Amino acid sequence: MVIADHGPGWPTLLTNPPALEVAVGDRVEAGALLGRAGAAETGVTVELRRNGQPFPIAPLLALAG
């Protein structure tokens, strides 16, 4: 699991990446590669949280598209 801390109250959790490109304590720049997904059946998940609660990411992805 990778937990990216974006600032007060905004972490992102990335679970089950088969290949990680970061280590504990690494600082990464915006857009940096955190890991690589494998085959579709590996089940990588991403969860954005706000103050400890899941935050809907789909509307944000629609803005980026």
Side-chain angles (χ1 to χ4, degrees):
M1 175 188 294
V2 174
I3 301 174
D5 181 358
H6 305 290
W10 286 100
T12 296
L13 288 67
L14 175 68
T15 62
N16 299 324
L20 290 176
E21 302 292 331
V22 295
V24 172
D26 282 356
R27 292 186 59 89
V28 297
E29 298 294 323
L33 181 66
L34 300 178
R36 297 181 187 275
E41 58 272 0
T42 59
V44 174
T45 60
V46 177
E47 180 179 88
L48 178 62
R49 297 181 75 81
R50 174 68 177 146
N51 295 322
Q53 298 298 315
F55 189 88
I57 197 170
L60 300 175
L61 294 173
L63 293 173

